[in-house]
Amino acid sequence: MPIPSIRLESLGASVFTEMDNLKRELEKDGKSLINLSIGSPDRAPSPEIRNVLSQGVLEEDQYGYTLTRGTEEFRRVCAQWYQDRFGVILNPETEVLPLMGSQDGLAHIFLAYIDQGDLALIPDPGYPIYTAGLMLAGGKKIAIPLLEENGFLPDLKQIDPELAYKAKIMFLNYPNNPTAAVANLPFFEEVVEFAEKYDLLICHDAAYSELAFGGFKPVSFLQAQGAKEVGIEFHSVSKTYNLAGARLGFVVGNESVIGTLSQLKSNIDYGVFAPVLAAGAYALCNGQGSIVENQKAYERRRDILIEGCASAGWKMPIPQGSMFIWAPVPTKQDSVSFAMDLARDAGVIVVPGVAFGEHGEGFVRIAMVQDEEVLQEAVLRIQQFLNRKIKL
């Protein structure tokens, strides 16, 4: 058999793979596990959204190919949602593109713009697809440190100007995965100026814009003046409305970039399944109630985890958004050894921070993806684990 592509060698073995192997090993041994590692919604879409989807799949004429550009209805609804939510005006014909989940676009944008050896500015720690997509396209990563002392925002003044001039793309993500940090409009305005100075394409991943707590409302990068001239923004209908398995998202912004990505995708795949597009359009028009319900559910989960762990001495920052808690390692261990010990001893699976980049060391990511009863059990296990660690 031929050997695999060198592209795959560039990805290497990930910490995610190590943790998954450990999980399988523990399951084989009969260990009771609570998985707080994967960032996938565990809740179902609202009954109304499910009804639209189920009605669609029963119609005989819904099983043909759809265009890469999706349906006119879905694009129009996305544009209207953006205007209502952020006050951003979009042309649904040229500035909106449906995606098979936002990760579809996050990965393919590199193939659309990166040639062998091209540079891109990638947050560290950051969602792994940013690095993987770049590597698969043959590009080279310039890591932008996201440090606690900067609120996990990149310090644009610390980026080497020579490298910035050579880079083609800069990725951002707020509310952030994994750090749960948030960004404000003045920050995005600085980003626009930075992009104009260095001729960069800004790609902002806003998958968690609708998962925020305590009345906090994340802003869109496109609200910054001039943002549409330098960038695009990715949204996840999957995450917002609990349609993860249905795979639906969209990207909006710069007309030229949207057109280029659409051209690439038209040579790779077809469009999203028509009933999924219809369910997504319905959700964007009528799903505010389910968003509020989702926010309240995750806020309760957040409080269970943070308050329960604090009682055992594990202090964690309280996130304003996302479905994650970015928690400092509470023992004198690196993030991998702590996560593995927690899994083996307590049966609670979290992700070592170093899985998201070298600047993630010292932290673990906890995903709030179990119901409240299960999280209370997880807290009890963590408390007992930390008490044993302290005694040792």
Side-chain angles (χ1 to χ4, degrees), residues 150-177:
N150 296 329
F152 298 108
L153 296 171
D155 186 344
L156 302 179
K157 297 181 179 64
Q158 293 300 312
I159 297 174
D160 185 336
E162 186 175 340
L163 292 176
Y165 275 119
K166 292 179 180 178
K168 296 179 78 172
I169 291 176
M170 179 178 182
F171 254 80
L172 296 170
N173 166 217
Y174 294 99
N176 187 263
N177 176 13

mmCIF file of all heavy atoms in Angstrom, residues 150-177:
data_model
loop_
_atom_site.group_PDB
_atom_site.id
_atom_site.type_symbol
_atom_site.label_atom_id
_atom_site.label_comp_id
_atom_site.label_asym_id
_atom_site.label_seq_id
_atom_site.Cartn_x
_atom_site.Cartn_y
_atom_site.Cartn_z
ATOM 1 N N ASN A 150 -3.371 39.479 29.619
ATOM 2 C CA ASN A 150 -3.993 40.313 28.586
ATOM 3 C C ASN A 150 -5.464 39.958 28.376
ATOM 4 O O ASN A 150 -6.062 40.339 27.363
ATOM 5 C CB ASN A 150 -3.245 40.161 27.258
ATOM 6 C CG ASN A 150 -1.821 40.669 27.336
ATOM 7 O OD1 ASN A 150 -1.518 41.594 28.090
ATOM 8 N ND2 ASN A 150 -0.924 40.064 26.577
ATOM 9 N N GLY A 151 -6.046 39.236 29.339
ATOM 10 C CA GLY A 151 -7.430 38.805 29.183
ATOM 11 C C GLY A 151 -7.605 37.825 28.048
ATOM 12 O O GLY A 151 -8.696 37.693 27.481
ATOM 13 N N PHE A 152 -6.526 37.112 27.696
ATOM 14 C CA PHE A 152 -6.514 36.142 26.603
ATOM 15 C C PHE A 152 -6.879 36.780 25.258
ATOM 16 O O PHE A 152 -7.439 36.135 24.373
ATOM 17 C CB PHE A 152 -7.414 34.942 26.915
ATOM 18 C CG PHE A 152 -6.977 34.173 28.128
ATOM 19 C CD1 PHE A 152 -7.703 34.239 29.312
ATOM 20 C CD2 PHE A 152 -5.830 33.397 28.097
ATOM 21 C CE1 PHE A 152 -7.294 33.539 30.437
ATOM 22 C CE2 PHE A 152 -5.410 32.693 29.221
ATOM 23 C CZ PHE A 152 -6.144 32.771 30.393
ATOM 24 N N LEU A 153 -6.538 38.055 25.120
ATOM 25 C CA LEU A 153 -6.606 38.745 23.832
ATOM 26 C C LEU A 153 -5.193 38.873 23.283
ATOM 27 O O LEU A 153 -4.234 39.033 24.056
ATOM 28 C CB LEU A 153 -7.200 40.146 23.998
ATOM 29 C CG LEU A 153 -8.646 40.253 24.473
ATOM 30 C CD1 LEU A 153 -8.986 41.703 24.780
ATOM 31 C CD2 LEU A 153 -9.604 39.693 23.438
ATOM 32 N N PRO A 154 -5.004 38.826 21.968
ATOM 33 C CA PRO A 154 -3.654 39.008 21.430
ATOM 34 C C PRO A 154 -3.182 40.443 21.627
ATOM 35 O O PRO A 154 -3.963 41.386 21.468
ATOM 36 C CB PRO A 154 -3.819 38.681 19.946
ATOM 37 C CG PRO A 154 -5.261 38.917 19.657
ATOM 38 C CD PRO A 154 -6.005 38.581 20.922
ATOM 39 N N ASP A 155 -1.945 40.595 21.988
ATOM 40 C CA ASP A 155 -1.330 41.922 22.080
ATOM 41 C C ASP A 155 -0.782 42.259 20.700
ATOM 42 O O ASP A 155 0.304 41.822 20.317
ATOM 43 C CB ASP A 155 -0.223 41.922 23.133
ATOM 44 C CG ASP A 155 0.361 43.310 23.383
ATOM 45 O OD1 ASP A 155 0.119 44.207 22.540
ATOM 46 O OD2 ASP A 155 1.059 43.494 24.387
ATOM 47 N N LEU A 156 -1.548 43.021 19.933
ATOM 48 C CA LEU A 156 -1.189 43.293 18.535
ATOM 49 C C LEU A 156 0.143 44.021 18.426
ATOM 50 O O LEU A 156 0.877 43.855 17.439
ATOM 51 C CB LEU A 156 -2.293 44.107 17.859
ATOM 52 C CG LEU A 156 -3.691 43.455 17.856
ATOM 53 C CD1 LEU A 156 -4.696 44.372 17.179
ATOM 54 C CD2 LEU A 156 -3.659 42.094 17.170
ATOM 55 N N LYS A 157 0.489 44.806 19.436
ATOM 56 C CA LYS A 157 1.742 45.565 19.400
ATOM 57 C C LYS A 157 2.960 44.659 19.543
ATOM 58 O O LYS A 157 4.077 45.058 19.204
ATOM 59 C CB LYS A 157 1.751 46.628 20.509
ATOM 60 C CG LYS A 157 0.672 47.692 20.364
ATOM 61 C CD LYS A 157 0.764 48.727 21.471
ATOM 62 C CE LYS A 157 -0.283 49.818 21.330
ATOM 63 N NZ LYS A 157 -1.656 49.282 21.455
ATOM 64 N N GLN A 158 2.755 43.454 20.069
ATOM 65 C CA GLN A 158 3.866 42.531 20.271
ATOM 66 C C GLN A 158 4.109 41.612 19.076
ATOM 67 O O GLN A 158 5.064 40.829 19.079
ATOM 68 C CB GLN A 158 3.613 41.682 21.523
ATOM 69 C CG GLN A 158 3.627 42.458 22.822
ATOM 70 C CD GLN A 158 4.974 43.150 23.069
ATOM 71 O OE1 GLN A 158 6.031 42.521 22.932
ATOM 72 N NE2 GLN A 158 4.924 44.431 23.399
ATOM 73 N N ILE A 159 3.265 41.702 18.058
ATOM 74 C CA ILE A 159 3.455 40.865 16.864
ATOM 75 C C ILE A 159 4.559 41.463 16.003
ATOM 76 O O ILE A 159 4.543 42.658 15.693
ATOM 77 C CB ILE A 159 2.145 40.744 16.070
ATOM 78 C CG1 ILE A 159 1.081 40.041 16.923
ATOM 79 C CG2 ILE A 159 2.364 39.979 14.766
ATOM 80 C CD1 ILE A 159 -0.294 39.989 16.285
ATOM 81 N N ASP A 160 5.513 40.653 15.637
ATOM 82 C CA ASP A 160 6.665 41.088 14.831
ATOM 83 C C ASP A 160 6.158 41.701 13.514
ATOM 84 O O ASP A 160 5.527 41.010 12.709
ATOM 85 C CB ASP A 160 7.549 39.883 14.539
ATOM 86 C CG ASP A 160 8.837 40.251 13.804
ATOM 87 O OD1 ASP A 160 8.873 41.302 13.136
ATOM 88 O OD2 ASP A 160 9.805 39.479 13.887
ATOM 89 N N PRO A 161 6.432 43.001 13.272
ATOM 90 C CA PRO A 161 5.937 43.646 12.043
ATOM 91 C C PRO A 161 6.407 42.947 10.773
ATOM 92 O O PRO A 161 5.647 42.858 9.797
ATOM 93 C CB PRO A 161 6.506 45.066 12.136
ATOM 94 C CG PRO A 161 6.736 45.288 13.598
ATOM 95 C CD PRO A 161 7.137 43.957 14.149
ATOM 96 N N GLU A 162 7.629 42.445 10.776
ATOM 97 C CA GLU A 162 8.149 41.776 9.579
ATOM 98 C C GLU A 162 7.327 40.530 9.260
ATOM 99 O O GLU A 162 7.001 40.265 8.095
ATOM 100 C CB GLU A 162 9.615 41.389 9.807
ATOM 101 C CG GLU A 162 10.284 40.819 8.562
ATOM 102 C CD GLU A 162 11.763 40.559 8.762
ATOM 103 O OE1 GLU A 162 12.354 41.141 9.696
ATOM 104 O OE2 GLU A 162 12.328 39.771 7.973
ATOM 105 N N LEU A 163 6.957 39.769 10.295
ATOM 106 C CA LEU A 163 6.134 38.584 10.079
ATOM 107 C C LEU A 163 4.708 38.966 9.718
ATOM 108 O O LEU A 163 4.074 38.307 8.888
ATOM 109 C CB LEU A 163 6.145 37.714 11.340
ATOM 110 C CG LEU A 163 7.468 37.043 11.698
ATOM 111 C CD1 LEU A 163 7.347 36.291 13.020
ATOM 112 C CD2 LEU A 163 7.916 36.101 10.580
ATOM 113 N N ALA A 164 4.204 40.022 10.331
ATOM 114 C CA ALA A 164 2.850 40.469 10.025
ATOM 115 C C ALA A 164 2.721 40.878 8.560
ATOM 116 O O ALA A 164 1.713 40.588 7.906
ATOM 117 C CB ALA A 164 2.453 41.625 10.943
ATOM 118 N N TYR A 165 3.745 41.546 8.023
ATOM 119 C CA TYR A 165 3.723 41.949 6.610
ATOM 120 C C TYR A 165 3.726 40.728 5.689
ATOM 121 O O TYR A 165 3.147 40.753 4.605
ATOM 122 C CB TYR A 165 4.925 42.832 6.282
ATOM 123 C CG TYR A 165 4.716 44.293 6.596
ATOM 124 C CD1 TYR A 165 5.527 44.947 7.520
ATOM 125 C CD2 TYR A 165 3.707 45.028 5.971
ATOM 126 C CE1 TYR A 165 5.346 46.301 7.816
ATOM 127 C CE2 TYR A 165 3.517 46.376 6.252
ATOM 128 C CZ TYR A 165 4.339 47.004 7.182
ATOM 129 O OH TYR A 165 4.143 48.343 7.467
ATOM 130 N N LYS A 166 4.375 39.645 6.126
ATOM 131 C CA LYS A 166 4.464 38.449 5.292
ATOM 132 C C LYS A 166 3.214 37.569 5.402
ATOM 133 O O LYS A 166 2.945 36.774 4.508
ATOM 134 C CB LYS A 166 5.696 37.636 5.699
ATOM 135 C CG LYS A 166 7.022 38.306 5.366
ATOM 136 C CD LYS A 166 8.186 37.439 5.826
ATOM 137 C CE LYS A 166 9.517 38.108 5.507
ATOM 138 N NZ LYS A 166 10.663 37.294 5.997
ATOM 139 N N ALA A 167 2.488 37.683 6.500
ATOM 140 C CA ALA A 167 1.324 36.820 6.719
ATOM 141 C C ALA A 167 0.171 37.199 5.790
ATOM 142 O O ALA A 167 0.051 38.351 5.357
ATOM 143 C CB ALA A 167 0.879 36.910 8.175
ATOM 144 N N LYS A 168 -0.699 36.225 5.495
ATOM 145 C CA LYS A 168 -1.858 36.474 4.647
ATOM 146 C C LYS A 168 -3.170 36.481 5.434
ATOM 147 O O LYS A 168 -4.111 37.187 5.072
ATOM 148 C CB LYS A 168 -1.938 35.401 3.541
ATOM 149 C CG LYS A 168 -0.770 35.437 2.568
ATOM 150 C CD LYS A 168 -0.872 34.348 1.524
ATOM 151 C CE LYS A 168 -1.856 34.672 0.430
ATOM 152 N NZ LYS A 168 -1.808 33.676 -0.680
ATOM 153 N N ILE A 169 -3.225 35.693 6.503
ATOM 154 C CA ILE A 169 -4.462 35.504 7.257
ATOM 155 C C ILE A 169 -4.184 35.657 8.745
ATOM 156 O O ILE A 169 -3.114 35.285 9.227
ATOM 157 C CB ILE A 169 -5.059 34.103 6.989
ATOM 158 C CG1 ILE A 169 -5.591 33.998 5.555
ATOM 159 C CG2 ILE A 169 -6.173 33.767 7.972
ATOM 160 C CD1 ILE A 169 -6.114 32.627 5.192
ATOM 161 N N MET A 170 -5.156 36.205 9.461
ATOM 162 C CA MET A 170 -5.123 36.225 10.921
ATOM 163 C C MET A 170 -6.445 35.687 11.441
ATOM 164 O O MET A 170 -7.513 36.139 11.030
ATOM 165 C CB MET A 170 -4.898 37.643 11.447
ATOM 166 C CG MET A 170 -4.884 37.748 12.965
ATOM 167 S SD MET A 170 -4.554 39.468 13.491
ATOM 168 C CE MET A 170 -4.528 39.251 15.273
ATOM 169 N N PHE A 171 -6.368 34.696 12.332
ATOM 170 C CA PHE A 171 -7.567 34.102 12.922
ATOM 171 C C PHE A 171 -7.806 34.659 14.322
ATOM 172 O O PHE A 171 -6.873 34.855 15.094
ATOM 173 C CB PHE A 171 -7.423 32.584 13.005
ATOM 174 C CG PHE A 171 -8.247 31.861 11.969
ATOM 175 C CD1 PHE A 171 -7.782 31.750 10.669
ATOM 176 C CD2 PHE A 171 -9.469 31.318 12.289
ATOM 177 C CE1 PHE A 171 -8.534 31.098 9.705
ATOM 178 C CE2 PHE A 171 -10.238 30.668 11.332
ATOM 179 C CZ PHE A 171 -9.764 30.546 10.042
ATOM 180 N N LEU A 172 -9.089 34.894 14.631
ATOM 181 C CA LEU A 172 -9.529 35.291 15.967
ATOM 182 C C LEU A 172 -10.776 34.491 16.315
ATOM 183 O O LEU A 172 -11.458 33.971 15.416
ATOM 184 C CB LEU A 172 -9.835 36.796 16.009
ATOM 185 C CG LEU A 172 -8.668 37.744 15.768
ATOM 186 C CD1 LEU A 172 -9.172 39.160 15.592
ATOM 187 C CD2 LEU A 172 -7.660 37.671 16.909
ATOM 188 N N ASN A 173 -11.121 34.450 17.615
ATOM 189 C CA ASN A 173 -12.256 33.638 18.050
ATOM 190 C C ASN A 173 -12.741 34.137 19.414
ATOM 191 O O ASN A 173 -12.112 33.881 20.429
ATOM 192 C CB ASN A 173 -11.808 32.164 18.118
ATOM 193 C CG ASN A 173 -12.765 31.267 18.867
ATOM 194 O OD1 ASN A 173 -12.332 30.357 19.570
ATOM 195 N ND2 ASN A 173 -14.052 31.501 18.723
ATOM 196 N N TYR A 174 -13.891 34.858 19.407
ATOM 197 C CA TYR A 174 -14.482 35.363 20.659
ATOM 198 C C TYR A 174 -16.010 35.321 20.577
ATOM 199 O O TYR A 174 -16.554 35.727 19.545
ATOM 200 C CB TYR A 174 -13.989 36.791 20.934
ATOM 201 C CG TYR A 174 -12.501 36.797 21.211
ATOM 202 C CD1 TYR A 174 -11.593 37.126 20.208
ATOM 203 C CD2 TYR A 174 -12.009 36.404 22.458
ATOM 204 C CE1 TYR A 174 -10.235 37.079 20.440
ATOM 205 C CE2 TYR A 174 -10.650 36.365 22.693
ATOM 206 C CZ TYR A 174 -9.762 36.700 21.688
ATOM 207 O OH TYR A 174 -8.409 36.643 21.930
ATOM 208 N N PRO A 175 -16.679 34.840 21.660
ATOM 209 C CA PRO A 175 -16.135 34.191 22.843
ATOM 210 C C PRO A 175 -15.239 33.021 22.448
ATOM 211 O O PRO A 175 -15.539 32.284 21.516
ATOM 212 C CB PRO A 175 -17.366 33.709 23.606
ATOM 213 C CG PRO A 175 -18.444 34.685 23.204
ATOM 214 C CD PRO A 175 -18.158 34.949 21.749
ATOM 215 N N ASN A 176 -14.173 32.842 23.239
ATOM 216 C CA ASN A 176 -13.059 32.031 22.800
ATOM 217 C C ASN A 176 -13.171 30.574 23.225
ATOM 218 O O ASN A 176 -13.640 30.252 24.301
ATOM 219 C CB ASN A 176 -11.760 32.630 23.365
ATOM 220 C CG ASN A 176 -10.517 31.952 22.838
ATOM 221 O OD1 ASN A 176 -9.964 31.085 23.487
ATOM 222 N ND2 ASN A 176 -10.094 32.355 21.654
ATOM 223 N N ASN A 177 -12.715 29.728 22.349
ATOM 224 C CA ASN A 177 -12.477 28.315 22.634
ATOM 225 C C ASN A 177 -10.973 28.093 22.471
ATOM 226 O O ASN A 177 -10.458 28.305 21.380
ATOM 227 C CB ASN A 177 -13.242 27.450 21.640
ATOM 228 C CG ASN A 177 -12.978 25.966 21.810
ATOM 229 O OD1 ASN A 177 -12.415 25.532 22.792
ATOM 230 N ND2 ASN A 177 -13.405 25.187 20.826
#
